[in-house]
Amino acid sequence: MRRKFVAGNWKMHGNLVDNDALLTGILAGIGEVRAEVAVCVPFPYLAQAKAKLAGSKVAWGAQNLSQHAKGAYTGEVSALMLNDFECKYVIVGHSERRALYGESDAIVAEKYAAAQTAGLVPILCVGETLEEREAGITEQVVGRQLDAVLNKSGVISFANAVIAYEPVWAIGTGKTATPEQAQAVHAFIRAKIRALDAEVAEHLVIQYGGSVKASNAAELFAQPDIDGGLIGGASLNAEEFLAICRAA
Ligand code: PEP
């Protein structure tokens, strides 16, 4: 059976005081959670996450990285810098990065490769916009996003990666994909990977992301190809996040 994995994406939220309370709350309840759990925090709080979570059941990671190893890239953060903070995970290709910061499929593929070269586990986000869903091209879009990474890093790279299917229309909108809608795309993703390597596909963790809450998590996570979630807004509340983790 595949492992279940729930990761929180804090986005650009938090401060030292609030983070401490949030992490303390998560640690207090993590004993009852069977799934693997991680929090992806803003860069300035990686040291805090490491200090607070080292030795616990909760892993930590970043929300982005540079595709470059080092150099004149003002404001960027490299994979090796993330290693200094012992990050396990890094989110790559979140739809907000693609839409607001112009990250193309090619850049996302470079970032994914840079993360893996440094030993980080990328959480690769893919997903369609509402217009794309309504145009009936969801599989085409998700397939294209996956192909960019497959062409650069190969299917075997997915033995050390996580995919998060996040329909853009469901992120931060309160509109969740129905379990059936989500399962259909998850099955498509797994079939695409299976066509290249059945073993990798069988073990690949595919998270769902998009307005997951304690009230809808169990139904989503019960789907055969949904292996947990990437959680935005609801990961900022310890009780809500723990309830989602317990549902996985
Ligand atoms: C996300 O940021 O990846 C996300 C899924 O956000 P939310 O849960 O708030 O929709």
Side-chain angles (χ1 to χ4, degrees), residues 9 11 94 96 125 166 170-174 209-212 230-234:
N9 172 17
K11 312 197 189 199
H94 191 280
E96 288 153 15
C125 298
E166 299 207 307
I171 297 179
T173 58
S211 299
V212 177
L230 181 58
I231 318 298

Side-chain angles (χ1 to χ4, degrees), residues 221-246:
F221 299 165
Q223 299 300 311
D225 289 294
I226 301 184
D227 309 312
L230 181 58
I231 318 298
S235 72
L236 298 172
N237 177 294
E239 281 315 312
E240 183 80 10
F241 185 58
L242 283 167
I244 293 169
C245 294
R246 283 194 300 271

Side-chain angles (χ1 to χ4, degrees), residues 66-78 81:
S66 171
Q67 65 272 43
H68 304 292
K70 63 177 172 179
Y73 301 105
T74 302
E76 292 290 282
V77 172
S78 72
M81 292 173 186

